[in-house]
Each structure stands twice: as C-alpha cells, then as structure tokens.
Amino acid sequence: MTELRAIRGDITTLDVDAIVNAANETLLGGSGVDGAIHAAAGPELRDECRELGGCEPGEAKMTGGHRLPATHVIHTVGPIWRGGQHGESEVLASCYRESIRLAAGHGLATVAFPCISTGTYGYPQDYAADVAVAAVREAVAEHRSIREVIFCCYSDYDLGLYTERLA
Ligand code: ADP
C-alpha cells in the first residue's frame, strides 16, 4: 500500500527520491515553486534542463536534483486555467499520472508534489486538489513500487484541502 500524506512546507527541503516541479514549457525556470527549485538546486539544474528541449502541458521529464536534498526533479507543465472547459482537468491529471509513471519507471519510491497550476496558472485550489488526489490514487494503484506520495502544500489553506481529501 502506498502512503499518501499532506504536509505544509517548502518542497525544496524534502529528502525524497523525487520532488515534482510545476515548470513552464521552456523548462528553463520561472517564478513560484519553479524559481525556488532552481535557486536551491543551483545552475547545474538549468544546464541539464536546457538539454531536454522543453515539455508539453501534461507531460513530465526527469533530471537530477543537483544541490537539492532530493535526488531527482520531475518537471511537469500544468494547464493554465481558462475557466475549466478547455481540458484543464485532463491535463492536470496527466501531470500527476505521468510524474508517478516516470518515477516508478526509474525505480523511485518516494515522490513529493507541489499544488501544480494553482499559483500563476490560476487553477482553483479546491478543484485542483480533487484532481490531484484522484489522479495519484489511480496512478499508485497501477505503480505499486511507489511507497510514499507527499502533497507538499505551501499554505495552511491548501493543507486543509488535502487533509480533508486524504482522510
Ligand atoms: P503554477 O505556474 O503551476 O501555477 P506556481 O509556482 O505559481 O505554479 O504555484 C504552484 C504552487 O506552488 C502554489 O500553491 C504555490 O504557493 C506553491 N509554492 C511556491 N513555492 C513553493 C515551495 N517552495 N514549496 C512548495 N510549494 C511552493
């Protein structure tokens, strides 16, 4: 059984096999959690990302963690919220699913996610939490080598949303 739990904290401090980055399509760094991850990992992360040639929304790509305590970073690109009728939930679910699939494919056991798309990309936090928890539950049922998934919330509000859904 995979353990799913929610914590409040800074994802860059977590000592897990992989932290997931809510990146943009260039994979060259940005604001929010993306900026924090690049700042903590050091310039070698950006160098490695440059070789990846970008990433489509809903896809995921892996790099090393460089100066982070996490050994890997999984970069995924969430949907930009445009009212909910433009396939946003499918793309967001795909981010979580593809990240878990990539982690399992590399033999990783512990993965931490931020609240993808709910910052600059404007996805309503409660809808995003519904999608995230459902998609992760589905993905770990398929990839049983994943031992633990952490939803790393940056606010008490997000932590409340995830705590409710995981109860
Ligand atoms: P997006 O562009 O996908 O919306 P953002 O980085 O703007 O990405 O926001 C995604 C989420 O990441 C937000 O909930 C934001 O509060 C959170 N966040 C920002 N910095 C960190 C951090 N260091 N650790 C964990 N979560 C963070």
Side-chain angles (χ1 to χ4, degrees), residues 9-13 21-24 30-37 76-80 113-123 125 152-155 158:
D10 175 353
I11 201 166
T12 65
T13 67
N21 181 16
N24 59 49
S31 60
V33 71
D34 193 9
I37 289 172
T76 188
V77 180
I80 297 172
F113 285 96
C115 303
I116 299 168
S117 281
T118 64
T120 311
Y121 282 5
Y123 207 116
Q125 286 149 282
C152 181
C153 302
Y154 208 49
S155 67
D158 278 325

Side-chain angles (χ1 to χ4, degrees), residues 51-130:
E51 305 298 312
L52 297 177
C55 186
E56 295 292 316
E59 291 183 355
K61 295 188 177 181
M62 185 174 301
T63 64
H66 299 281
R67 301 179 197 178
L68 291 164
T71 46
H72 300 81
V73 179
I74 294 172
H75 306 265
T76 188
V77 180
I80 297 172
W81 179 259
R82 292 195 289 143
Q85 304 301 313
H86 297 85
E88 292 94 329
S89 64
E90 289 81 1
V91 175
L92 187 61
S94 174
C95 290
Y96 285 92
R97 207 169 45 233
E98 290 301 305
S99 297
I100 293 287
R101 194 167 69 87
L102 194 57
H106 284 76
L108 309 185
T110 55
V111 182
F113 285 96
C115 303
I116 299 168
S117 281
T118 64
T120 311
Y121 282 5
Y123 207 116
Q125 286 149 282
D126 52 344
Y127 295 167
D130 288 338

Side-chain angles (χ1 to χ4, degrees), residues 96-97 100-101 134-144 146:
Y96 285 92
R97 207 169 45 233
I100 293 287
R101 194 167 69 87
V136 166
R137 282 196 170 125
E138 239 181 78
V140 298
E142 198 176 322
H143 299 285
R144 295 178 171 275
I146 302 290

